[in-house]
Amino acid sequence: MERKVAVVGYAMTRQASDIGVPRPIMLFELVKGLFDQMGITRDDIDTFVLCSNDFQCGRTISNVFEDTPVGAYMKDETKVEADGVMAVMYGAIRIMSGLYDTALVVGNSLGGSEFRPYLIMDYQLHPAYDRQLGILNEPVTAALQAKAYMEKYKITEDHLNKIAARLLRNAAKNPFALRGKEDATPEYIASSEYLYEPLRELHCYPFTDGACAVVLASDKRAKALTDKPVWIKGFGDSIEGYFLGDRDLSWSRSAKVAADRAYRMAGISNPAKEIDVAEISIKFASQEPIICEALGLFPEGSGAEVADRGLAEIGGEMPVCPSGGGLGAYPFSAMGLIRVAECAKQINGEAGDIQVKDVKTAVAHGQDGFCAQHNAVMVLSSEEG
Amino acid sequence: MAFQMGEETRQVQATWDVTTYNYKVDGRGIKLLADGMKDKKILGIRCHNCGTVYVPGPPFCRKCYIPIDEIAEVKDSGEVVSFAVEMADVRGNPLDEVRVSGMIKLDGSDTFINGRIQVDDWHDVHIGMRVKAVWVPEPQGNLSDIDHFEPI
Ligand SMILES: [Zn+2]
């Protein structure tokens, strides 16, 4: 028999260019604060799932430096070296196995202050091929992907500006986001410098420090831990091949496969209708329509129309990233966890100035790799059903 | 004629020098230890809940999972809990002179510190041996102010 799993607690740090404290202190304060707020101790957690990355920590086996700060001393612990949505999936699966009733999932990165993220990404490139050619790096691949979509579906740089402006306006209302601008306009975005045409500085993710923690529990334990469990209804994960020359960058096959799996598990047949809000992980404005369309939130190739008609606004037909998403902050590993936490906030009506009306069902998305090679999708709901 | 591919397996040399990191570290416990060394004192942190004395002191007790900040002075003498006799460096090159790396439980501490143990013949070193810190002539407030340990 399949066990149900709920999000029963969550907390995140403010996301910053420089959070100002070392990783262990950041994690201790975050997790200790969450336990205190929930009225639990580390003894209430059966298994700990850490989400971090050796490159992004600058030390191998990054989790060994994080276990004690998150309370995992002498406890059952494991690590996901990818995105936070994948870590939440892993935590949920551990509970569904019946071996555990509770899990703490914690992701973090100091990508704002400890290292230059684009340089780290270079070491994901193939050593004897890509690195020999010396052509690819993260923003170049993003620009290749942007052009492929824009050309195919006739969307312009002005549409990218509209997407970025919306996200920065949302981020301005989110007290946890790093970068926001209350009155951001497409013209404001267009005034930032080109980095890799068609991408300007304000189309790209800001380098971010931050962490997020989520407590999961089985249906057996969930109600004892919170009055408002948010149920994980479905999840799916999919990865493309590494070689970019083998991918049609104008859409995301793996995000679509991941979403189809999640929706099947959650019993969702019409995502555009049944989902009330989406929190997706994008590193560049141009990835938003690609991911949204793969998730079935908008029709294929509708990027221009969605941007022109404001359909993804907080009050729009399908609100996407009320938090400001990846243009507001992008702490690696914590990114997808924050998406899950933001979905839980929306479902629980705790999102303050970025609250969407009447949210019952939300979708969280996480990605990893060049041009979102690896995607994970999770459906969350207020209904246990 | 078919195109001749290269050998199936090739070795390509590429350096993994990722980038320069600006590590953020918790300086409190290490600074406390280093500062005290100027006066030949060894300072750690005691957990007010379980009494564990950590050297160097962490900002929280790993067992009790609470913030801790009570300063505890421990002795500069203690007991060898384990030791390794280094006869080669990490690349496998033999050392001219063997070195003894010890793990030492200082009196009053619940954790162990590492230090060189100097003896005429390494065969004389044993677990449980009592040792004492030998300080540099003019301590500067650095972790290197303890030059080595010697048998008592
Ligand atoms: Zn203690």
Side-chain angles (χ1 to χ4, degrees):
Chain A
M1 199 188 86
E2 202 172 86
R3 300 189 345 142
K4 290 171 196 153
V5 180
V7 172
V8 296
Y10 44 84
M12 64 184 80
T13 65
R14 99 195 132 82
Q15 294 135 52
S17 303
D18 184 348
I19 202 155
V21 293
R23 191 183 309 269
I25 307 291
M26 170 176 76
L27 293 174
F28 176 74
E29 286 174 357
L30 173 73
V31 175
K32 176 78 174 156
L34 175 59
F35 287 172
D36 289 350
Q37 172 201 316
M38 292 178 69
I40 63 172
T41 71
R42 68 191 199 91
D43 295 333
D44 292 301
I45 305 296
D46 295 342
T47 184
F48 289 72
V49 181
L50 294 176
C51 187
S52 61
N53 177 296
D54 293 358
F55 291 94
Q56 291 160 4
C57 189
R59 293 187 286 202
T60 54
I61 325 179
S62 55
N63 49 323
V64 302
F65 304 99
E66 299 166 0
D67 295 326
T68 301
V70 303
Y73 178 70
M74 299 306 288
K75 304 280 284 189
D76 177 292
E77 182 265 356
T78 184
K79 170 184 165 186
V80 171
E81 184 130 2
D83 176 68
V85 173
M86 298 155 201
V88 176
M89 276 178 59
Y90 190 32
I93 290 166
R94 286 167 89 80
I95 290 174
M96 288 164 76
S97 75
L99 284 173
Y100 312 94
D101 277 307
T102 52
L104 176 77
V105 188
V106 186
N108 85 91
S109 168
L110 295 182
S113 64
E114 280 200 347
F115 58 89
R116 295 283 296 176
Y118 291 162
L119 298 177
I120 301 282
M121 287 295 284
D122 274 7
Y123 282 81
Q124 281 187 20
L125 293 168
H126 192 291
Y129 182 71
D130 295 325
R131 279 196 238 165
Q132 302 286 328
L133 288 171
I135 290 170
L136 297 184
N137 58 41
E138 187 176 40
V140 163
T141 61
L144 294 169
Q145 184 187 33
K147 277 265 175 48
Y149 178 88
M150 291 166 76
E151 183 65 29
K152 184 169 173 187
Y153 296 113
K154 307 290 168 237
I155 95 162
T156 65
E157 216 185 292
D158 183 50
H159 296 115
L160 293 190
N161 296 338
K162 285 180 176 166
I163 292 170
R166 184 192 97 251
L167 290 171
L168 292 192
R169 285 196 304 271
N170 289 356
K173 291 188 239 167
N174 173 4
F176 295 94
L178 179 169
R179 179 177 71 184
K181 188 159 168 63
E182 209 177 336
D183 54 356
T185 58
E187 294 71 34
Y188 169 72
I189 305 295
S191 72
S192 68
E193 295 293 326
Y194 274 127
L195 294 182
Y196 294 79
E197 195 274 338
L199 300 177
R200 295 177 182 274
E201 191 193 337
L202 292 176
H203 295 138
C204 305
Y205 67 95
F207 301 155
T208 309
D209 285 358
C212 182
V214 168
V215 179
L216 305 177
S218 65
D219 42 359
K220 203 173 98 192
R221 283 296 306 283
K223 282 160 202 160
L225 292 168
T226 179
D227 299 335
K228 295 198 245 176
V230 171
W231 299 96
I232 296 176
K233 303 285 284 188
F235 47 75
D237 175 287
S238 177
I239 187 161
E240 321 224 7
Y242 159 78
F243 186 45
L244 278 187
D246 198 23
R247 288 172 57 186
D248 176 354
L249 294 176
S250 69
W251 70 301
S252 175
R253 183 192 296 267
S254 69
K256 179 164 181 4
V257 171
D260 287 348
R261 287 183 182 146
Y263 295 153
R264 203 177 315 128
M265 187 172 164
I268 285 182
S269 51
N270 185 346
K273 266 216 167 102
E274 296 172 60
I275 287 166
D276 303 313
V277 63
E279 274 287 345
I280 62 171
S281 297
I282 58 149
K283 288 181 155 180
F284 303 92
S286 44
Q287 289 182 339
E288 185 174 281
I290 296 174
I291 298 297
C292 284
E293 291 165 27
L295 267 54
L297 305 175
F298 297 116
E300 181 193 327
S302 62
E305 194 199 345
V306 171
D308 287 338
R309 292 180 51 206
L311 301 181
E313 297 277 357
I314 290 174
E317 246 170 54
M318 170 56 67
V320 176
C321 290
S323 66
L327 296 198
Y330 204 110
F332 302 114
S333 305
M335 185 65 186
L337 268 170
I338 292 172
R339 310 281 70 75
V340 170
E342 288 291 342
C343 285
K345 268 191 205 173
Q346 290 287 348
I347 289 168
N348 283 340
E350 294 169 348
D353 291 345
I354 55 173
Q355 182 67 48
V356 173
K357 268 193 201 145
D358 304 324
V359 176
K360 260 170 52 183
T361 306
V363 65
H365 159 267
Q367 63 150 304
D368 201 24
F370 284 107
C371 300
Q373 182 193 351
H374 189 182
N375 289 278
V377 176
M378 179 167 281
V379 179
L380 298 118
S381 171
S382 54
E383 288 181 0
E384 183 174 352
Chain B
M1 199 180 80
F3 175 73
Q4 294 294 306
M5 301 288 273
E7 291 166 43
E8 282 182 24
T9 303
R10 296 197 204 185
Q11 288 197 319
V12 179
Q13 225 175 43
T15 309
W16 186 323
D17 178 9
V18 181
T19 184
T20 300
Y21 291 87
N22 297 302
Y23 295 112
K24 283 194 169 69
V25 297
D26 180 52
R28 291 174 287 187
I30 295 169
K31 186 171 191 301
L32 177 73
L33 179 62
D35 283 354
M37 285 185 154
K38 202 171 162 73
D39 305 317
K40 299 190 182 180
K41 280 185 179 174
I42 300 178
L43 302 178
I45 298 285
R46 177 187 289 109
C47 172
H48 56 273
N49 191 50
C50 69
T52 303
V53 174
Y54 299 95
V55 180
F60 47 85
C61 177
R62 38 192 158 264
K63 292 178 264 189
C64 305
Y65 203 55
I66 51 171
I68 54 174
D69 60 3
E70 191 182 307
I71 296 172
E73 185 178 353
V74 304
K75 295 275 171 17
D76 71 349
S77 56
E79 189 178 305
V80 174
V81 293
S82 193
F83 65 97
V85 183
E86 288 179 55
M87 299 196 174
D89 69 16
V90 286
R91 294 182 196 281
N93 305 312
L95 295 177
D96 296 337
E97 229 178 298
V98 302
R99 296 186 300 203
V100 182
S101 297
M103 189 177 251
I104 296 149
K105 184 179 189 298
L106 295 173
D107 297 333
S109 172
D110 291 297
T111 61
F112 317 133
I113 66 161
N114 298 314
R116 296 252 178 255
I117 300 172
Q118 266 184 27
V119 282
D120 293 334
D121 181 353
W122 66 263
H123 291 93
D124 294 339
V125 181
H126 58 270
I127 288 176
M129 184 169 85
R130 297 284 306 163
V131 291
K132 189 174 179 12
V134 176
W135 297 84
V136 297
E138 282 178 44
Q140 301 296 310
N142 296 324
L143 295 180
S144 54
D145 285 343
I146 292 182
D147 188 70
H148 62 273
F149 286 84
E150 63 179 17
I152 299 175

